[in-house]
Structure formats: C-alpha cells, structure tokens
Amino acid sequence: MSDLKKELHQLCVNHVRKIMEATELAIADAQKSSTDDTKSSAGDKYETGREMAQQETNRNMAQLNEANKLLVALNRIGTTGASVHAEPGSVIVTNNGNFYLAISAGALTLNGKTFFAVSPASPVGNMLSGKKAGDEFVLNGKHYKIESVL
C-alpha cells in the first residue's frame, strides 16, 4: 500500500517537473527572441516584438511559480501509513474510479490501473475529503460509493 502511495506521489512529482522544464524552456526561448530582435528603422515593430516577448516571459514565470507551489504542496504530503478518512496523500477506491488526493495532475497509470490525481480543492477532491469506506456522494449526477481508503 505505501508503495502505491509512493509511486503515485512520484508520478505527480514527475508531472510537475515536466511542466517546470517546459516552462523554463519557453522562458529561455522568449528571452532569446527578445535579445535576438534587432532594432530597425521600424522602431515600433521592434518595441512591439520586445513587449510581446516580455509578456510571454511573464506568463511563463507565473506558470513556473504555480508549478513550484504544486511541488511544495506535494512535499507536504505523506506517502506512508493508512488513512481511515480521505486526506491529502490518500488513495480512494470508488465504484467510479480510483483517486489519489494530492494535486490536479489528471489520469495516472500505474501497474495497468488508472488513478485520477485530484486536488483537495477540486470539486471531486472536496467531495472525497473526510470520507471513509462505505460513504457515498453524488457529483454531476454521478453516484460514487467509496470502497476503500488507503
């Protein structure tokens, strides 16, 4: 069980690191584009190009900051021990899918099974939080019964 949590946790960390790597590359490209732009007689075109590159850098910096926050959140989640009630780090098995309560990272496949990594702040994460085996809830017209909480 704790191996399952550790492996799901690592998949989430890998997901965030991929986002960070892609964002860092985009920042470097935008900065390179800005410095490669040479001033011509059409000064407005030069300034517009630089401003667009700066805006792209700013957007990517914000995305990198969000990815760092996700990594911090993941570092706070325990990967050992069993939970009676669903909490961050719990694996929740329901009649409508398996969930890993951590960060929103989408579908993760592990040993041929799919787990949906969801944030406690997401609608489904909010419904799962605090629940135990046997509890039920309805979300978007879909009925969920919790079979187990690990």
Side-chain angles (χ1 to χ4, degrees):
M1 168 195 42
S2 69
D3 282 346
L4 174 63
K5 286 184 176 186
K6 286 178 184 172
E7 290 178 47
L8 288 170
H9 187 269
Q10 189 58 51
L11 288 173
C12 286
V13 168
N14 293 347
H15 171 78
V16 173
R17 287 201 173 129
K18 283 180 188 173
I19 291 170
M20 292 173 84
E21 288 172 10
T23 304
E24 288 167 348
L25 281 173
I27 290 168
D29 285 347
Q31 289 174 340
K32 184 178 185 311
S33 166
S34 176
T35 57
D36 286 352
D37 221 351
T38 57
K39 193 163 189 169
S40 65
S41 59
D44 286 347
K45 178 183 171 206
Y46 167 76
E47 291 302 323
T48 301
R50 285 183 58 115
E51 179 59 27
M52 288 176 65
Q54 184 59 47
Q55 287 177 5
E56 183 67 20
T57 298
N58 292 345
R59 274 192 298 279
N60 285 311
M61 290 297 282
Q63 188 173 4
L64 186 58
N65 188 34
E66 288 304 311
N68 277 319
K69 288 179 187 176
L70 290 176
L71 209 49
V72 168
L74 280 171
N75 288 333
R76 291 183 180 150
I77 293 175
T79 58
T80 58
S83 306
V84 174
H85 292 70
E87 61 188 11
S90 295
V91 176
I92 302 103
V93 178
T94 75
N95 62 324
N96 278 316
N98 306 314
F99 297 90
Y100 178 55
L101 198 56
I103 63 165
S104 293
L108 306 172
T109 303
L110 185 63
N111 301 327
K113 289 186 180 179
T114 300
F115 296 85
F116 297 97
V118 296
S119 164
S122 70
V124 72
N126 190 33
M127 295 298 284
L128 289 168
S129 293
K131 300 278 193 291
K132 62 185 183 316
D135 287 350
E136 300 179 33
F137 65 93
V138 176
L139 181 66
N140 296 331
K142 199 172 193 179
H143 178 262
Y144 292 83
K145 181 172 182 169
I146 297 175
E147 297 169 0
S148 63
V149 177
L150 311 172

